[in-house]
Each structure stands twice: as C-alpha cells, then as structure tokens.
Amino acid sequence: MYARPGTEPADTGAPDGSDGSDGSEGSGLEPVRRRGRMPAVLAGAAVLGLISGLCAGYLIQAGREPTRLPPLSQPRLEQASGGASASLPAARDREARTDGDLRRLLLKKPDGARAAGSFAEDGWMSLDQLAETYNNPAGGYGWLLETEFRRAAAVTWTEGGTRLVEVRLLQFRQEEVLGARDEAKDSYDWAGRDSDAESWAIPGTGDGKAYTYRTPRNRDGVNVYEARAHAWRGDVSVQIWMTDTKPIPKKTIVDLAKRQLERLT
C-alpha cells in the first residue's frame, strides 16, 4: 500500500518489519518512508537544553546586585543675562500701522487746499465705489475680488483753483496672492499705454512709477492735463491722480508720490 504524499502510510502488519510491498514493478510510485524516532529524540534534547540554559541564566542574574539607572533630570541650563528684547514700536511696525485706521496714513491736504467731492465717504471707499472708478465697473469689481481686496481709503482736494488731486490707498488681504503688487503692476500697464505718456521712477519704491501726459483730455467739457502715480508697499497699493488746466511738471507728481510712500514706511 502507498500513502498519499504528505500523509503517514498505513500499517501493513508485516511481521518481518518490511514495508508491506508486494514487490510489484511499474506502478510509478515510490513508497513514503516513516519518520524515524531519532529526530524526535534530538528535538526533545534541544528543548530541554534551552530551558536549562534559561533557568541557569535567570539564577545567575538574580544573584547579582541591581544596576543603578541614570538620573532622569538633565543638567541645569544657565539663563542668558538681560531682559527680553523690547517689542517694535508701533511707529516702526508697518503691519501694525496698516491694520489700524488706514485714513491716518493718507497725505494731508496742503495749506490753502480745499476738500473736493469724490466717491469716498468719510475717507473710506467701498468695493462698489472703487469698482465704479474703472472704465468697466463689472470687470473692475471682479478684478478687485480676484486680488483679495480688503478696503480702501481716499482723500481729494483742489489747490491753486484748477488743480485736482486724489490719493487712494488700496489694502489687500494677500492670503493667496500678492494683491497690492498685482494691482500696481496692472496699473503700470494701463498708465503706459497712451502714446503721449512719459514715465518716471519714484525714488525708494523699487518699481513705482509716475506718469505725465503731453496731450490734454476733455473732462466734463474742459480740457485738462493729467498725471498719475502708482506704487505698492507691503499689502497697500497707492494710486495718485492729478488734473490741471496747464501741464503738470514731473517733479510735482513724483514728489507727491514719494511723500505718500514715506508715510507707509
């Protein structure tokens, strides 16, 4: 009889200790051998040796003196001498100042100048009011939302009888985009499109620019010359608009823009 692979062969009961084969040839199968007793004896001896070794090691370790653990506390660190550094004064903290009343950072009206009407109410311009100053108010509204517009302050005055000046400060949240920078760069593009535009760098502003225009424009039936300036600092974009019945010198618009940017520094 032949056992299936992986199983024990059945006991043939042959008295001579043979495997019970009838000696027939040609079956193609090899008889599966019984496992002898020697491997089992060796395995048992190995287990007993392992247990004896563990017990002996435990007895030796139990007879030794306990080893002291290192202390848990760390060496004391010496504190540096001197008090904490003083906080930055509000006058020098640009973020603290721009988070306050933005209108306080606007240029003051020159002596002798008169307040002029504008879109601003009590110095503030809402998103709707600011959008109305664009050639396409709907497009301006969407652009301001895209650049994360936060708020705007403005002041307007007349001086010398014919010159009208408006200064705007536009503040942006700048959580996902640099709105102040993007708004200023967009203004550079629009201001320089006219063929008669001359541009001038505003000192101390990096990329700030002032513009004057050689050809007068008709505004409400009156021919006026224009000048404008655009720059940005931190989260605030600066816009300055000037009109007059006579040409506006470069120095006038550049100096005005420079003084306004200094108030944001």
Side-chain angles (χ1 to χ4, degrees):
M1 171 181 281
Y2 294 93
R4 291 178 299 169
T7 64
E8 294 292 340
D11 190 357
T12 60
D16 58 355
S18 68
D19 57 8
S21 173
D22 59 2
S24 62
E25 298 292 333
S27 64
L29 295 176
E30 292 294 334
V32 179
R33 302 188 180 203
R34 294 179 182 269
R35 288 182 298 177
R37 296 182 58 191
M38 185 58 69
V41 172
L42 293 176
V47 171
L48 289 174
L50 179 61
I51 294 175
S52 298
L54 290 175
C55 291
Y58 175 79
L59 292 174
I60 292 172
Q61 186 65 28
R64 292 178 177 175
E65 290 292 330
T67 302
R68 292 182 177 273
L69 295 175
L72 297 178
S73 60
Q74 298 295 321
R76 182 178 178 180
L77 299 177
E78 295 295 332
Q79 185 174 0
S81 60
S85 58
S87 58
L88 192 65
R92 296 177 55 195
D93 190 340
R94 182 186 303 169
E95 184 176 350
R97 288 191 297 135
T98 57
D99 276 345
D101 191 339
L102 196 61
R103 297 171 299 178
R104 295 180 179 273
L105 300 179
L106 287 164
L107 283 170
K108 305 300 181 184
K109 295 189 300 291
D111 293 339
R114 303 183 308 276
S118 69
F119 283 95
E121 296 179 2
D122 194 27
W124 293 109
M125 293 186 73
S126 67
L127 175 60
D128 291 339
Q129 292 167 337
L130 189 60
E132 287 296 324
T133 66
Y134 286 73
N135 292 332
N136 178 4
Y141 190 96
W143 162 250
L144 291 168
L145 288 178
E146 181 180 338
T147 52
E148 299 180 349
F149 171 78
R150 177 182 173 188
R151 57 180 180 169
V155 61
T156 308
W157 69 78
T158 59
E159 56 184 47
T162 58
R163 180 172 295 168
L164 177 67
V165 180
E166 182 173 11
V167 181
R168 303 174 191 161
L169 301 180
L170 281 60
Q171 191 172 29
F172 298 82
R173 287 187 294 274
Q174 304 206 139
E175 296 173 353
E176 301 293 336
V177 296
L178 294 177
R181 181 203 64 181
D182 292 348
E183 195 287 324
K185 289 188 174 182
D186 183 70
S187 296
Y188 302 156
D189 180 62
W190 282 98
R193 286 188 178 186
D194 289 343
S195 60
D196 66 338
E198 294 182 275
S199 63
W200 322 90
I202 303 173
T205 63
D207 59 354
K209 294 181 181 179
Y211 301 82
T212 58
Y213 300 88
R214 294 183 294 269
T215 305
R217 272 78 167 160
N218 188 284
R219 297 287 184 262
D220 299 324
V222 179
N223 287 332
V224 295
Y225 292 87
E226 294 184 353
R228 55 196 292 190
H230 298 280
W232 66 283
R233 182 152 291 164
D235 60 351
V236 176
S237 174
V238 176
Q239 298 179 350
I240 300 178
W241 310 78
M242 299 180 69
T243 61
D244 202 343
T245 55
K246 53 184 178 291
I248 301 171
K250 160 202 167 184
K251 179 176 172 46
T252 301
I253 183 65
V254 170
D255 286 352
L256 189 67
K258 183 179 177 181
R259 288 193 287 118
Q260 177 58 76
L261 268 295
E262 288 173 349
R263 296 179 65 87
L264 299 175
T265 302

